[in-house]
Amino acid sequence: MSTNTSNAFHNGSSSIHASRESFAPARTGSSRPSRPAQIDPTVAAHVAGGADPQAIDEMSHASAAAMLDRVHHSQDPAVVERVLTLVEREGVDIIAELWSHAQPDTLPAMLWRLYLLRTWMHRHQQSLSQLWRAGEPVATVDSVVAGIDQAPEAQDIAHTADSILSGAFTGDFAVALERAAAFTDVIAGGLHAQAKRLVHGDHAPRDSAHEHTAPGNTQNEPTSDDRTTAARLMHTAGNLLVTAHDFRSGANQWRRGRLE
């Protein structure tokens, strides 16, 4: 695995702590899954300010429904653009204020995940394009659902990120969630493939002129660092599979009129 690809799944965020629904692996020592993600405690304290949790929950649901409805019925492309670029313009904390504390199987939680997914895809488009090729070497139904060619370039990942989120507001919300699920499924497969290559020693051979191997070891035998990296990649892949499942569950709930 390249350094860039590995870094995409080991770097955290200053304002969001990874959890089982987010789009980066948990940091070492952090394994408490709960909401889609957790805002920094100091920001959370400022936002909540002792407000009634029920009132916050009601505001979360009402704001998600109102935004979705307004954009869906708008004919103004500028409105859609402002919603798409909300994170870039206002920062992710404004989204967290609205939706990060919602229960995982709700409309605000789904919108929260979609915004995080778009941000993640834009930040790591090059690494994700490589992982897509590893996870989807031959086009399958996931390629069709996600709307990605068999060998996407970095700009294709960014375009897909925008397309998924804009489709959530202007098209069929369930389809947008299914596209998000297909994408995260394939990336999980790419991470799994990368991890297998590491633990089975299927990577570039080491320079024998500058490295001595212990008796009985082969040059392609995985090191402890390889195994540690592989374990982290598998952990992230597992998180993404859970997220994909949640996206599909949200799509089913939406079609049944039960996602609120």
Side-chain angles (χ1 to χ4, degrees), residues 78-90:
V79 172
V80 179
E81 180 65 19
R82 285 199 299 272
V83 170
L84 278 180
T85 59
L86 186 59
V87 169
E88 288 90 338
R89 292 185 298 106
E90 304 292 343

mmCIF file with all atom_site columns, all heavy atoms in Angstrom, residues 78-90:
data_model
loop_
_atom_site.group_PDB
_atom_site.id
_atom_site.type_symbol
_atom_site.label_atom_id
_atom_site.label_alt_id
_atom_site.label_comp_id
_atom_site.label_asym_id
_atom_site.label_entity_id
_atom_site.label_seq_id
_atom_site.pdbx_PDB_ins_code
_atom_site.Cartn_x
_atom_site.Cartn_y
_atom_site.Cartn_z
_atom_site.occupancy
_atom_site.B_iso_or_equiv
_atom_site.pdbx_formal_charge
_atom_site.auth_seq_id
_atom_site.auth_comp_id
_atom_site.auth_asym_id
_atom_site.auth_atom_id
_atom_site.pdbx_PDB_model_num
ATOM 1   N N   . ALA A 1 78 ? -28.494 27.642 -7.446 1.00 0.00 ? 78 ALA A N   1
ATOM 2   C CA  . ALA A 1 78 ? -27.670 28.245 -6.396 1.00 0.00 ? 78 ALA A CA  1
ATOM 3   C C   . ALA A 1 78 ? -28.038 27.704 -5.026 1.00 0.00 ? 78 ALA A C   1
ATOM 4   O O   . ALA A 1 78 ? -27.185 27.582 -4.144 1.00 0.00 ? 78 ALA A O   1
ATOM 5   C CB  . ALA A 1 78 ? -27.815 29.764 -6.416 1.00 0.00 ? 78 ALA A CB  1
ATOM 6   N N   . VAL A 1 79 ? -29.314 27.376 -4.828 1.00 0.00 ? 79 VAL A N   1
ATOM 7   C CA  . VAL A 1 79 ? -29.758 26.809 -3.558 1.00 0.00 ? 79 VAL A CA  1
ATOM 8   C C   . VAL A 1 79 ? -29.102 25.449 -3.344 1.00 0.00 ? 79 VAL A C   1
ATOM 9   O O   . VAL A 1 79 ? -28.598 25.138 -2.262 1.00 0.00 ? 79 VAL A O   1
ATOM 10  C CB  . VAL A 1 79 ? -31.296 26.691 -3.508 1.00 0.00 ? 79 VAL A CB  1
ATOM 11  C CG1 . VAL A 1 79 ? -31.737 25.928 -2.260 1.00 0.00 ? 79 VAL A CG1 1
ATOM 12  C CG2 . VAL A 1 79 ? -31.933 28.066 -3.543 1.00 0.00 ? 79 VAL A CG2 1
ATOM 13  N N   . VAL A 1 80 ? -29.113 24.630 -4.392 1.00 0.00 ? 80 VAL A N   1
ATOM 14  C CA  . VAL A 1 80 ? -28.490 23.308 -4.317 1.00 0.00 ? 80 VAL A CA  1
ATOM 15  C C   . VAL A 1 80 ? -27.005 23.443 -4.040 1.00 0.00 ? 80 VAL A C   1
ATOM 16  O O   . VAL A 1 80 ? -26.441 22.734 -3.208 1.00 0.00 ? 80 VAL A O   1
ATOM 17  C CB  . VAL A 1 80 ? -28.716 22.518 -5.625 1.00 0.00 ? 80 VAL A CB  1
ATOM 18  C CG1 . VAL A 1 80 ? -28.035 21.154 -5.555 1.00 0.00 ? 80 VAL A CG1 1
ATOM 19  C CG2 . VAL A 1 80 ? -30.201 22.357 -5.900 1.00 0.00 ? 80 VAL A CG2 1
ATOM 20  N N   . GLU A 1 81 ? -26.353 24.388 -4.713 1.00 0.00 ? 81 GLU A N   1
ATOM 21  C CA  . GLU A 1 81 ? -24.917 24.584 -4.532 1.00 0.00 ? 81 GLU A CA  1
ATOM 22  C C   . GLU A 1 81 ? -24.600 25.002 -3.104 1.00 0.00 ? 81 GLU A C   1
ATOM 23  O O   . GLU A 1 81 ? -23.620 24.533 -2.509 1.00 0.00 ? 81 GLU A O   1
ATOM 24  C CB  . GLU A 1 81 ? -24.408 25.641 -5.523 1.00 0.00 ? 81 GLU A CB  1
ATOM 25  C CG  . GLU A 1 81 ? -22.907 25.922 -5.431 1.00 0.00 ? 81 GLU A CG  1
ATOM 26  C CD  . GLU A 1 81 ? -22.048 24.732 -5.809 1.00 0.00 ? 81 GLU A CD  1
ATOM 27  O OE1 . GLU A 1 81 ? -22.559 23.808 -6.472 1.00 0.00 ? 81 GLU A OE1 1
ATOM 28  O OE2 . GLU A 1 81 ? -20.863 24.725 -5.437 1.00 0.00 ? 81 GLU A OE2 1
ATOM 29  N N   . ARG A 1 82 ? -25.415 25.881 -2.529 1.00 0.00 ? 82 ARG A N   1
ATOM 30  C CA  . ARG A 1 82 ? -25.165 26.322 -1.159 1.00 0.00 ? 82 ARG A CA  1
ATOM 31  C C   . ARG A 1 82 ? -25.291 25.166 -0.177 1.00 0.00 ? 82 ARG A C   1
ATOM 32  O O   . ARG A 1 82 ? -24.524 25.066 0.782  1.00 0.00 ? 82 ARG A O   1
ATOM 33  C CB  . ARG A 1 82 ? -26.138 27.448 -0.777 1.00 0.00 ? 82 ARG A CB  1
ATOM 34  C CG  . ARG A 1 82 ? -25.797 28.779 -1.402 1.00 0.00 ? 82 ARG A CG  1
ATOM 35  C CD  . ARG A 1 82 ? -26.465 29.921 -0.670 1.00 0.00 ? 82 ARG A CD  1
ATOM 36  N NE  . ARG A 1 82 ? -27.922 29.814 -0.692 1.00 0.00 ? 82 ARG A NE  1
ATOM 37  C CZ  . ARG A 1 82 ? -28.698 30.315 -1.654 1.00 0.00 ? 82 ARG A CZ  1
ATOM 38  N NH1 . ARG A 1 82 ? -28.148 30.947 -2.683 1.00 0.00 ? 82 ARG A NH1 1
ATOM 39  N NH2 . ARG A 1 82 ? -30.007 30.197 -1.590 1.00 0.00 ? 82 ARG A NH2 1
ATOM 40  N N   . VAL A 1 83 ? -26.262 24.294 -0.406 1.00 0.00 ? 83 VAL A N   1
ATOM 41  C CA  . VAL A 1 83 ? -26.441 23.140 0.483  1.00 0.00 ? 83 VAL A CA  1
ATOM 42  C C   . VAL A 1 83 ? -25.283 22.166 0.331  1.00 0.00 ? 83 VAL A C   1
ATOM 43  O O   . VAL A 1 83 ? -24.758 21.637 1.314  1.00 0.00 ? 83 VAL A O   1
ATOM 44  C CB  . VAL A 1 83 ? -27.786 22.448 0.194  1.00 0.00 ? 83 VAL A CB  1
ATOM 45  C CG1 . VAL A 1 83 ? -27.873 21.117 0.927  1.00 0.00 ? 83 VAL A CG1 1
ATOM 46  C CG2 . VAL A 1 83 ? -28.947 23.340 0.601  1.00 0.00 ? 83 VAL A CG2 1
ATOM 47  N N   . LEU A 1 84 ? -24.850 21.932 -0.906 1.00 0.00 ? 84 LEU A N   1
ATOM 48  C CA  . LEU A 1 84 ? -23.749 21.004 -1.153 1.00 0.00 ? 84 LEU A CA  1
ATOM 49  C C   . LEU A 1 84 ? -22.463 21.475 -0.487 1.00 0.00 ? 84 LEU A C   1
ATOM 50  O O   . LEU A 1 84 ? -21.691 20.660 0.025  1.00 0.00 ? 84 LEU A O   1
ATOM 51  C CB  . LEU A 1 84 ? -23.504 20.857 -2.661 1.00 0.00 ? 84 LEU A CB  1
ATOM 52  C CG  . LEU A 1 84 ? -24.392 19.894 -3.437 1.00 0.00 ? 84 LEU A CG  1
ATOM 53  C CD1 . LEU A 1 84 ? -23.993 19.891 -4.901 1.00 0.00 ? 84 LEU A CD1 1
ATOM 54  C CD2 . LEU A 1 84 ? -24.311 18.492 -2.872 1.00 0.00 ? 84 LEU A CD2 1
ATOM 55  N N   . THR A 1 85 ? -22.219 22.757 -0.524 1.00 0.00 ? 85 THR A N   1
ATOM 56  C CA  . THR A 1 85 ? -20.947 23.294 -0.035 1.00 0.00 ? 85 THR A CA  1
ATOM 57  C C   . THR A 1 85 ? -21.066 23.859 1.376  1.00 0.00 ? 85 THR A C   1
ATOM 58  O O   . THR A 1 85 ? -20.231 24.662 1.795  1.00 0.00 ? 85 THR A O   1
ATOM 59  C CB  . THR A 1 85 ? -20.430 24.389 -0.990 1.00 0.00 ? 85 THR A CB  1
ATOM 60  O OG1 . THR A 1 85 ? -21.414 25.437 -1.082 1.00 0.00 ? 85 THR A OG1 1
ATOM 61  C CG2 . THR A 1 85 ? -20.176 23.819 -2.374 1.00 0.00 ? 85 THR A CG2 1
ATOM 62  N N   . LEU A 1 86 ? -22.065 23.422 2.097  1.00 0.00 ? 86 LEU A N   1
ATOM 63  C CA  . LEU A 1 86 ? -22.278 23.922 3.458  1.00 0.00 ? 86 LEU A CA  1
ATOM 64  C C   . LEU A 1 86 ? -21.065 23.674 4.349  1.00 0.00 ? 86 LEU A C   1
ATOM 65  O O   . LEU A 1 86 ? -20.660 24.532 5.133  1.00 0.00 ? 86 LEU A O   1
ATOM 66  C CB  . LEU A 1 86 ? -23.520 23.272 4.061  1.00 0.00 ? 86 LEU A CB  1
ATOM 67  C CG  . LEU A 1 86 ? -23.979 23.775 5.431  1.00 0.00 ? 86 LEU A CG  1
ATOM 68  C CD1 . LEU A 1 86 ? -24.287 25.266 5.377  1.00 0.00 ? 86 LEU A CD1 1
ATOM 69  C CD2 . LEU A 1 86 ? -25.200 22.996 5.900  1.00 0.00 ? 86 LEU A CD2 1
ATOM 70  N N   . VAL A 1 87 ? -20.472 22.487 4.227  1.00 0.00 ? 87 VAL A N   1
ATOM 71  C CA  . VAL A 1 87 ? -19.310 22.153 5.060  1.00 0.00 ? 87 VAL A CA  1
ATOM 72  C C   . VAL A 1 87 ? -18.127 23.057 4.718  1.00 0.00 ? 87 VAL A C   1
ATOM 73  O O   . VAL A 1 87 ? -17.447 23.568 5.612  1.00 0.00 ? 87 VAL A O   1
ATOM 74  C CB  . VAL A 1 87 ? -18.924 20.674 4.891  1.00 0.00 ? 87 VAL A CB  1
ATOM 75  C CG1 . VAL A 1 87 ? -17.577 20.395 5.545  1.00 0.00 ? 87 VAL A CG1 1
ATOM 76  C CG2 . VAL A 1 87 ? -19.999 19.779 5.483  1.00 0.00 ? 87 VAL A CG2 1
ATOM 77  N N   . GLU A 1 88 ? -17.881 23.263 3.412  1.00 0.00 ? 88 GLU A N   1
ATOM 78  C CA  . GLU A 1 88 ? -16.752 24.106 3.018  1.00 0.00 ? 88 GLU A CA  1
ATOM 79  C C   . GLU A 1 88 ? -16.951 25.550 3.480  1.00 0.00 ? 88 GLU A C   1
ATOM 80  O O   . GLU A 1 88 ? -16.001 26.215 3.889  1.00 0.00 ? 88 GLU A O   1
ATOM 81  C CB  . GLU A 1 88 ? -16.563 24.082 1.497  1.00 0.00 ? 88 GLU A CB  1
ATOM 82  C CG  . GLU A 1 88 ? -16.011 22.788 0.952  1.00 0.00 ? 88 GLU A CG  1
ATOM 83  C CD  . GLU A 1 88 ? -17.104 21.795 0.593  1.00 0.00 ? 88 GLU A CD  1
ATOM 84  O OE1 . GLU A 1 88 ? -18.231 21.905 1.133  1.00 0.00 ? 88 GLU A OE1 1
ATOM 85  O OE2 . GLU A 1 88 ? -16.837 20.907 -0.219 1.00 0.00 ? 88 GLU A OE2 1
ATOM 86  N N   . ARG A 1 89 ? -18.171 26.040 3.405  1.00 0.00 ? 89 ARG A N   1
ATOM 87  C CA  . ARG A 1 89 ? -18.432 27.443 3.737  1.00 0.00 ? 89 ARG A CA  1
ATOM 88  C C   . ARG A 1 89 ? -18.540 27.689 5.236  1.00 0.00 ? 89 ARG A C   1
ATOM 89  O O   . ARG A 1 89 ? -18.051 28.690 5.743  1.00 0.00 ? 89 ARG A O   1
ATOM 90  C CB  . ARG A 1 89 ? -19.712 27.919 3.042  1.00 0.00 ? 89 ARG A CB  1
ATOM 91  C CG  . ARG A 1 89 ? -19.599 28.013 1.524  1.00 0.00 ? 89 ARG A CG  1
ATOM 92  C CD  . ARG A 1 89 ? -20.855 28.595 0.905  1.00 0.00 ? 89 ARG A CD  1
ATOM 93  N NE  . ARG A 1 89 ? -22.028 27.755 1.166  1.00 0.00 ? 89 ARG A NE  1
ATOM 94  C CZ  . ARG A 1 89 ? -22.995 28.039 2.020  1.00 0.00 ? 89 ARG A CZ  1
ATOM 95  N NH1 . ARG A 1 89 ? -22.931 29.142 2.741  1.00 0.00 ? 89 ARG A NH1 1
ATOM 96  N NH2 . ARG A 1 89 ? -24.032 27.236 2.178  1.00 0.00 ? 89 ARG A NH2 1
ATOM 97  N N   . GLU A 1 90 ? -19.197 26.774 5.933  1.00 0.00 ? 90 GLU A N   1
ATOM 98  C CA  . GLU A 1 90 ? -19.493 27.010 7.345  1.00 0.00 ? 90 GLU A CA  1
ATOM 99  C C   . GLU A 1 90 ? -18.667 26.128 8.288  1.00 0.00 ? 90 GLU A C   1
ATOM 100 O O   . GLU A 1 90 ? -18.622 26.379 9.490  1.00 0.00 ? 90 GLU A O   1
ATOM 101 C CB  . GLU A 1 90 ? -20.987 26.756 7.615  1.00 0.00 ? 90 GLU A CB  1
ATOM 102 C CG  . GLU A 1 90 ? -21.922 27.575 6.749  1.00 0.00 ? 90 GLU A CG  1
ATOM 103 C CD  . GLU A 1 90 ? -21.856 29.054 7.067  1.00 0.00 ? 90 GLU A CD  1
ATOM 104 O OE1 . GLU A 1 90 ? -21.340 29.408 8.142  1.00 0.00 ? 90 GLU A OE1 1
ATOM 105 O OE2 . GLU A 1 90 ? -22.315 29.862 6.234  1.00 0.00 ? 90 GLU A OE2 1
#
